[in-house]
Structures are given as structure tokens and as C-alpha cells.
Amino acid sequence: MKKNRERFCNREREFVYKFRVGSQGFELRVPLRFPVQENAGHLHGRLMLLHNLPCFIEKDLKEALSQFIEEESLRDYDRDAEAALEAVKSGEVDLHQLASTWAKAYTETTLEHARPEEPSWDEDFADVYHDLIHSPASETLLNLEHNYFVSISELIGERDVELKKLRERQGIEMEKVMQELGKSLTDQDVNSLAAQHFESQQDLENKWSNELKQSTAIQKQEYQEWVIKLHQDLKNPNNSSLSEEIKVQPSQFRESAEANGRIYEEQRKLEESFTIHLGAQLKTMHNLRLLRADMLDFCKHRRNHRSGVKLHRLQTALSLYSTSLCGLVLLVDNRINSYSGIKRDFATVCQECTDFHFPRIEEQLEVVQQVVLYARTQRRSKLKESHESGNRNGGSDDKSKNAERNYLNILPGEFYITRHSNLSEIHVAFHLCVDDNVKSGNITARDPAIMGLRNILKVCCTHDITTISIPLLLVHDMSEEMTIPWCLRRAELVFKCVKGFMMEMASWDGGISRTVQFLVPQSISEEMFYQLSNMLPQIFRVSSTLTLTSKH
């Protein structure tokens, strides 16, 4: 039957069209191979252009061509069907096998016969957690999470103390060796001791890393099992031990651990808030905030469980599985790891509290590395194919070599995303790749960093992220070249670009109210902060307040 189908489906037929121009008659003959893969309208346009046909036959030619393709295709289908029936009648095809194949195809493509999808453990746990965090047991959940956080913080404190003692001891040993250098010891002895010190540090760090990994895995399992059990007990109103189970957690809280732990210093924050309306006809209200703060302040937990800190954490937990998520933009280099700079600081904050819902930061980065490697490999193969088929000039050689050399890294303007449930005020982190060009004063609206912000805002619209924190100056730390004019130009550029991107949001999400937080480094002066604060309402349309007074 397949042979017959191939015979009928690979036939070439000639399309003949006759028309007259004045007293002269013309005939158009075009060979067509069936089945015709190209759209009839596209094929008709190509024929008109290729043969310089007069415009007055355009409509008639299109109708004749469509009718010819339809009639010939139907004849092929009829011949194919007759051949298939003959094959069944002659016994060439097993009737029972054909019936079972038809039945299988029908059940697989028809929704009513499809098997229901089995919910995964993550989905079940997410539903259970969402129910509990919106119930009277929410305080118990937060207390338990904070209890686990204090435990991990103590473990990290012990690790830091042990590493500090090791480095101090190694420093003393190295000083003694350097004093004997050139007398009884050589450079080779110094290098050997340095290698031993490095190996000892690596062994100690690996030991603590494995211990932290094991502790967080145990905490995650215990927490998830306890949440499931509490949810089941809440469904049973006759359970007398339920009230005691909910009350026992706060009393076990180890507030005394605060004295021995690390306490983050809170610097005085400067903050200004604005309400704006954007849109041509249908205006949408948005909230803007300008803050002088460290980016990681939105991620860090506090050891002292004060009411204000607790409310922030409660709000983050309530919106974890909702349509109002919070995001943060971190400016990183082109390497996908957590070994240096703000990437290391962010990873350290993530490790201080167990994530009970998502994989660890290291596991998420490994997945990102695999995806980037696959994407770069695909792009590299396509570039190689286009290079071989195109002109071989020096520029393309340099481009292909550059792509081959850097295909393991991401490019400026590209970003990767990590998900978190263990951070203080955010759920999603956008790691935006930037280069040293952001420190110069001549970037434009088409700079990769600016276009990266646009793509991040687009992701926020499509994935229910309603609050996003952005570094206003596209840097996390100030340097000498960042003068007052530099800051004003950069802030004006980012304000105007973000305003344009927010106006685009209306077409992306239908006009949903959002909160955009612009953050400036803590080292910026108060005078500079208030200059930026005065610039913002000049660029955005700030809502004015009306004061109503009654007449007596």
C-alpha cells in the first residue's frame, strides 16, 4: 500500500492556462509535482512575476490554479483509497492489525480517551503549601522556616570560624617560611607550602559544603513531610492533637541564637514613592519607587524575628504561588557560576536558608549551563554551515572563531533566571550579563544592557511578575569615573527607556498595574539621590492629588 501511495504522490502533472490579449491567444504551461507543498496563493504570485503576466488575468489565473490543484489532489486521494481497499480485499494487509492501528490512533488523538495527567509531587506540595500559608497555620510555617534558617546560619558561622582559623594558621606558617627564604629554604619550598595550604583549604571547604548540602536535604524532607501531615490533620476536625501541634513550634524558637550569630547592619535607606499613569487612551496606573539600598537587602533574612521583618516574609510566602510575583535584576559577568562578585554574595545568601520548594542555586545554575551549552552548540553548527556555503572572507573567519571560542559563555544583554522561595522579598532573580561598557558614559538606548532590561520586563509580563527591582545606574557599586553628570545622564537614559518599555507592556499583558523599583548604590550621596528623585516626575506622568474643601 505504501508503494502505491508513493507512486501516486510523486507524479508530475502539467497545468495549462489559456488566455487572450486583444486578438492574440496565449497558453501558459507549468509542470507541478503532486502533492503540491507550496501555498496556491504564493505559487500564483510567483507565476505572475516570473512570466510578466498581465494584471487583468490575475484573479482568473488564481481561481484556475486553485481548482486544478484541488481536483488533481482529490483524484490522487481517491486512487490512494482504492488501492488501500484493494490491498485489504486481497489479504495484503492484515484487517485486525489495521483495525487496532486505527483504534490506537483515535484514542491517542481524541481528548475524551486520553489518560488524565498524574499530578507530580511538586504540584501536590505546592497546592498543600498554598492552602496552609493562607490558613491560621501560616505563623507556624514561618516559625519553622525561621528555625531552620537559624540552624543553617549557625552551621555557616562555625564553617567561617574554622576557615578563618585555618587561614590565620597558614598565614603564620607562610611568614616563617618567607623569613627563611634564601637562607635554608628555596622558592620551591615556598611553592610546595602554598600548594599544601591551598589543598587544605579545599578539603575543609568541601567537607563543610557536603555537610551543608546534607543538612539542607534533611531539612527539606522533614519540612515537606511535616507540611503534608499538618494539612491532613487540618482536614480531620476531630484530631485533638492538632492545636498542640500548631502551638509547639513558636515555643521552640531559638531567639538566643541571635547573640552568637551574624547580624546584618542596616544602613539608613532613602526612599521616594510615585504613582504614575501610562497609556495613550486606556491609562494604566503603576507604582514607582526610588531607593538607596543594596540589591541583596531584598534577599537577606534577619536573625532577629521582629514583626516588620516577619510581615515581609509573610507577604513573600503568601504570593509564592500567585499571579503577583517579585523579581530582582542582578548584573553579572558572562560566566554562569557563583564564584566571584555579586554572584558569590547572592549564592551565599541563598545558602543561608533552605529552599523547600525549588532546587538549590547550584543545581539551577548547572541546568542553565547545560541549556546554554546546547544552544551555543546549535548556533555554532548553523554558523559553520552558513560560513561553508557563503563567501569565505576574513570578517566571517574572525566571527566564527570568536563564536567558537566563547560558546560556553553568555553574551551581554542575555540573562538567565533562578527561582527562589527562601529569600526575604523576592521569588525570581534575573541574572543580566553586562560588560565593562556599562561603566562608560556613551551607551545608548540600543545597548545590550538596555535591550536586556526590555526583554526582562517582557518576561515579567508573560509570567505574572508584578514587582521588579532594577539597578538604575546599571551598576551595583560606584567608582571614580561615575561623576554627578555621569549619574544624571545614565539615570535619564534608564528612566526614559523603562518608560517606553512600560508603555509597551499594555500590548503585552493588556495593562496590568505593576511596581517598578529603581535602586541606586548605598555609597551615593543624599544630594545626588534627591536630584534623581526630582528627575523622575519630569520624565514620567505623575498623578497629581486633589484637595477638596467644603464651603460653609
Side-chain angles (χ1 to χ4, degrees), residues 403-419:
E404 183 176 355
R405 184 171 60 252
N406 299 325
Y407 74 99
L408 289 175
N409 299 331
I410 62 176
L411 303 176
E414 296 180 337
F415 61 90
Y416 52 94
I417 301 172
T418 54
R419 302 170 298 162

Side-chain angles (χ1 to χ4, degrees), residues 332 376 379 409-416 431-434 448 452:
V332 299
R376 289 287 182 264
R379 186 178 300 178
N409 299 331
I410 62 176
L411 303 176
E414 296 180 337
F415 61 90
Y416 52 94
H431 305 256
L432 175 61
C433 175
V434 296

Side-chain angles (χ1 to χ4, degrees), residues 21-38:
V21 179
S23 59
Q24 293 182 338
F26 295 91
E27 186 176 83
L28 175 66
R29 292 181 176 270
V30 180
L32 296 178
R33 184 174 295 277
F34 283 79
V36 178
Q37 302 293 338
E38 190 174 2

Side-chain angles (χ1 to χ4, degrees), residues 483-498:
T483 59
I484 292 179
W486 184 94
C487 294
L488 293 176
R489 288 196 305 269
R490 177 61 55 83
E492 182 180 7
L493 173 66
V494 175
F495 278 148
K496 289 182 177 179
C497 291
V498 170

Side-chain angles (χ1 to χ4, degrees), residues 1 5 84-85 87-89 93-105:
M1 187 167 62
R5 182 180 303 172
L85 290 174
V88 173
K89 291 178 181 179
V93 177
D94 185 7
L95 188 61
H96 297 288
Q97 183 181 0
L98 183 63
S100 62
T101 304
W102 272 55
K104 181 181 178 182

Side-chain angles (χ1 to χ4, degrees), residues 277-295:
H277 288 86
L278 292 178
Q281 295 179 345
L282 182 61
K283 297 187 182 300
T284 304
M285 185 181 71
H286 301 280
N287 297 316
L288 301 181
R289 297 176 68 198
L290 179 65
L291 298 96
R292 187 182 71 173
D294 188 352
M295 272 289 182

